[in-house]
Amino acid sequence: PDSKSYGMVLSAHARCTDGAEAAANLLERMETRYNTAKTEGNDPKAHPRPNVVCYNAVMNAYARAGRPKDAVELLERMEAHEIEADVVSYTSILDGYARWLEASASSKKNASVTESDVLDAIANAEDIMISLERSKDGPNVVAYNALLKVYLNGAKLLGQVQGDAESSSS
């Protein structure tokens, strides 16, 4: 199999409900096999190097699961492997923050979410957008819409968190 084949399998995992872990594990095996082949002097074609599409598939899986911090860690790992992020990489992370905020707002368990958590998520999303603006691709309409969803979901959750704080102090 080549990187394209792996990318398709990773994308399929990303679309599954609980696909984030399976996709992440497959990507990690892919990295390990490539690095082992490279250090042992074997043919790298036998174990292809993960490309940006492979990493994006896993970032997308994390985003769908509302796990933006895991997506950010993966972005950092990808960059450490000298693979340049693209607009899809950054937009997946923005989507992850939007989904986390939305899930937290709609969950009855949002009592554990603090105002600081919400503001941190918004600030982190803004940092991702700044990185995207500095990248060779730059943001597109999908990235701007994802950031708008972060703001919308963040404002909604912030209102809930602040309302909960006011009612508990009364």
Side-chain angles (χ1 to χ4, degrees):
D2 59 6
S3 293
K4 185 176 180 179
S5 301
Y6 275 106
M8 288 189 285
V9 173
L10 288 165
S11 292
H13 279 303
R15 288 188 296 275
C16 294
T17 304
D18 296 324
E21 288 309 313
N25 289 337
L26 179 58
L27 179 64
E28 192 171 314
R29 283 196 311 266
M30 192 177 173
E31 289 173 329
T32 301
R33 288 178 180 165
Y34 171 77
N35 290 331
T36 302
K38 190 171 123 182
T39 56
E40 292 177 356
N42 295 333
D43 181 14
K45 289 181 183 178
H47 300 287
R49 179 180 188 206
N51 60 19
V52 69
V53 174
C54 295
Y55 285 95
N56 285 348
V58 179
M59 280 188 256
N60 187 38
Y62 283 140
R64 288 174 181 262
R67 295 169 52 186
K69 290 180 181 179
D70 290 326
V72 169
E73 288 176 11
L74 186 58
L75 173 71
E76 291 168 353
R77 191 167 94 206
M78 179 178 85
E79 290 173 340
H81 290 292
E82 298 179 358
I83 298 170
E84 191 173 347
D86 62 11
V87 67
V88 175
S89 310
Y90 294 111
T91 304
S92 292
I93 296 170
L94 292 171
D95 182 53
Y97 280 112
R99 287 174 186 255
W100 179 82
L101 290 162
E102 180 179 35
S104 297
S106 63
S107 170
K108 300 206 187 286
K109 300 175 188 173
N110 70 5
S112 63
V113 177
T114 66
E115 183 176 338
S116 177
D117 294 333
V118 177
L119 295 174
D120 285 348
I122 293 169
N124 291 340
E126 289 172 336
D127 289 344
I128 292 298
M129 181 57 89
I130 289 168
S131 295
L132 175 54
E133 288 170 342
R134 292 178 179 159
S135 75
K136 69 175 175 128
D137 293 332
N140 61 15
V141 69
V142 178
Y144 284 119
N145 282 335
L147 185 61
L148 288 173
K149 286 180 187 176
V150 167
Y151 289 139
L152 176 68
N153 296 339
K156 181 179 177 182
L157 182 55
L158 201 53
Q160 290 175 356
V161 168
Q162 289 171 338
D164 289 346
E166 287 175 13
S167 20
S168 66
S169 66
S170 308

